[in-house]
Every structure is written in structure tokens, then in C-alpha cells.
Amino acid sequence: MTARALVIGEALIDVVERDGRVLGEHVGGSPLNVAVGLARLGRDVDFLTHIADDARGRRIADHLADSGVQLVPGSRTAKRTPTAVARLDATGAADYTFDIDWQLSGTPEVAPPVVAHTGSIAAVLEPGCRAAAALIDTYHVSATTTFDPNVRPALITDDTGARARIDRFIERCDVVKASDEDLQWLEPGRSPEQVAQTWLRMGPSLVAVTMGDRGAYAVCAAGEVRVPARPVEVVDTVGAGDAFMAGLIDALWSLQLLGAERRRQLAGIAVEALQRVVETAALSSALTVARAGADLPDRATRDAAAAATERETGTY
């Protein structure tokens, strides 16, 4: 049976604005971007979400199909498809305002996954966050579980409750990725490295942190790694963290470290292997920020960029 990924979480339409002017509408949502990113890298992906059978919902469904993602039955029962207005500042960074109803029910009718991923709105917004947590617990028995808090403060009304939910995912997941902005909200006053090391002691096999132009940091039981940011002309940062997450999962998949039966091997990942994994994830992210919207790279594009870098510098 072909190994598959299951991604659980929100799908929405990003309405992108700059200086009060709408630049366009893009299919988005952090978990959706991860699902699309994995599919574009050639992985088989099932995606469980909550959208409507309206014009925007159909656009999302078409985008998923075009990218090779299988939309899980029962995902199109919402009254309206969620939206997020992304207002870009002068640097291309986005500030979001959301209109979303997040609900899940039942166990998805999919083949047992080798990896199950969730995060962002799906992890904290009632009532669907409870179902997302239950599903991650269910799949932890047979799959590697991965998590990206991708915090959206505009949607959080109970800071303490949200932090508690996020802590629970960290304790239950094998791979955790966050941004330095996430950590500033979750653990103010502590460095990204300090938080990552604390999270590692809570249960994951590895924790990675993206830090914008300061690159990325990751830690596992064997040690820590740092990867500098790649020089790139940033169009916008929409989808950058999701591309990193998809690249991270894909790289671990290529090393045959996914699946519950490989949990011990994942926990024992060597520093040299983690360095390569994070470099691969950072490359996916760099290619994404160089294009408008969450336009994550396919494998051919990423491999070509990696080969070009190796030719130019003698390193990956």
C-alpha cells in the first residue's frame, strides 16, 4: 500500500491587500498549504477540512485537485467558505483578519497515514480544535504526528486556553515547527533556542524554529543545528512557514523516518541528518517567498534550485 499523509485543518481564501488595495485572492490556510506542498513534492496526501460548496469552496477543491491532494469526504459541509484578509506591510509581511467557522466530526474515511499533520487555527478554535486533537491522538498510535502552532492572535479570545491546547499538541507530536513570531506570543521574554529546547523535553523528537532573515534553528536529542537564510528577493512571506513545514516532513520521509514503527529512529536522528533536513526545508521556504502568495515549489523546482546552489558554492 502506498504511504500517505493526512493533513487536518483549515482551508480558506486569502484576500491580499496592500495600502488598502486588493491585490488578489489566493487559496490559503496553513494546513492546506502544507498538504499542497507535500503533494507538489510528489507525496500522496489526504486533506480533512471544513469548507462550503460555494464558489470559493469550489475554487479550493479545484486547487487541491490540481495539486494532487485528495479532499476527504465530508469536508464540504460548512455554510460558507472561510476567508482571511491578509494586509501586507512594506516588507511583505502579512497581518490577518479572519472569518472562519471551524468544525470537524467523525473519523475521516482514509487509509492509515504514515504521517498526520495539523496546526494553526485548527489547533485552537472551538469546536473543531477538540476533534483535531482527538484525531492526532488516534493517529499517533500508527503514524508520525507533526504540528505547527502558526499562532493567529486575532482569532484567540482565551490566551491561557490556547496556550494549554498548544502545549498538549507539543506533548503528543513527534515533530514540531514554529516561527519566532509564534514563540514571542507563546513564550515572551525567552529566546527561540530556549523555547525549542524546553519543547523538546516535553516529548517531540525534534523541534524547528524559523526566524526570517536570521534563518532557522532546530534541536534534537543529538544536538542542535542552524541554517542561515538564503539570499532571495522577497515578494511576500505568505506560505513561507508552511513551505518549510512541508519541506521538513518530506525530507524526513525521504530518510524513511516516518511512521510509528520508526519513532525510535526519528528520536535518534543524527545532527548531520537534521542539518540536511532543515536545509531542505529552508530551500522550500526561500522559493516560496520569492513568489506572490502561497505558491509552494514542486520537487523539480526545488531539486533544480538545490543543484544550482551546489554548483555555485560547492555546498547544498
Side-chain angles (χ1 to χ4, degrees):
M1 182 180 294
T2 303
R4 301 185 67 84
L6 172 64
V7 179
I8 303 162
E10 70 274 6
L12 45 80
I13 296 292
D14 282 320
V15 182
V16 182
E17 295 183 355
R18 176 176 265 154
D19 299 327
R21 183 168 59 91
V22 175
L23 302 182
E25 293 193 2
H26 307 276
V27 174
S30 176
L32 176 142
N33 291 336
V34 173
V36 167
L38 285 170
R40 289 184 178 178
L41 292 170
R43 302 302 183 181
D44 293 312
V45 184
D46 296 306
F47 180 51
L48 176 64
T49 190
H50 188 59
I51 58 176
D53 188 13
D54 55 16
R56 282 173 165 161
R58 288 188 289 274
R59 181 177 176 186
I60 289 171
D62 289 345
H63 176 72
L64 291 167
D66 291 344
S67 299
V69 177
Q70 180 66 48
L71 186 61
V72 174
S75 292
R76 303 176 72 170
T77 59
K79 294 181 179 179
R80 66 185 182 281
T81 294
T83 59
V85 176
R87 296 179 178 85
L88 304 180
D89 64 18
T91 69
D95 179 57
Y96 292 88
T97 303
F98 295 91
D99 175 18
I100 182 170
D101 175 34
W102 173 238
Q103 299 189 43
L104 290 176
S105 62
T107 302
E109 299 176 11
V110 298
V114 69
V115 57
H117 172 78
T118 195
S120 197
I121 295 167
V124 297
L125 188 63
E126 294 276 11
C129 62
R130 296 177 184 271
L135 287 172
I136 289 297
D137 283 348
T138 296
Y139 287 113
H140 186 77
V141 175
S142 57
T144 298
T145 50
T146 66
F147 175 63
D148 176 5
N150 199 1
V151 178
R152 303 302 190 193
L155 274 173
I156 295 173
T157 56
D158 177 4
D159 292 3
T160 301
R163 288 187 173 95
R165 291 191 186 282
I166 288 169
D167 280 350
R168 185 172 181 275
F169 278 105
I170 293 166
E171 292 166 355
R172 293 294 293 161
C173 288
D174 301 296
V175 177
V176 176
K177 171 263 165 191
S179 70
D180 54 353
E181 290 183 351
D182 294 331
L183 302 190
Q184 288 170 15
W185 188 87
L186 290 165
E187 302 266 5
R190 302 185 68 205
S191 72
E193 293 85 354
Q194 289 173 326
V195 178
Q197 290 161 8
T198 297
W199 285 6
L200 187 73
R201 292 191 292 271
M202 291 169 64
S205 294
L206 68 90
V207 177
V209 182
T210 56
M211 299 183 288
D213 60 7
R214 293 189 295 132
Y217 170 85
V219 61
C220 63
E224 61 184 19
V225 303
R226 296 178 186 276
V227 172
R230 286 175 166 263
V232 62
E233 185 174 341
V234 176
V235 175
D236 65 52
T237 61
V238 178
D242 306 323
F244 187 98
M245 187 79 242
L248 192 69
I249 294 170
D250 172 71
L252 294 170
W253 205 328
S254 294
L255 292 176
Q256 299 184 332
L257 291 176
L258 298 186
E261 73 279 3
R262 300 297 181 92
R263 189 159 280 130
R264 180 173 295 180
Q265 290 92 325
L266 178 61
I269 188 172
V271 170
E272 296 78 11
L274 181 60
Q275 179 81 24
R276 297 283 290 185
V277 165
V278 177
E279 287 171 350
T280 299
L283 176 56
S284 287
S285 186
L287 291 169
T288 301
V289 301
R291 301 190 285 202
D295 187 7
L296 282 66
D298 59 22
R299 187 170 297 280
T301 299
R302 197 184 66 187
D303 287 353
T309 299
E310 195 165 7
R311 287 193 302 270
E312 292 170 4
T313 65
T315 61
Y316 178 64

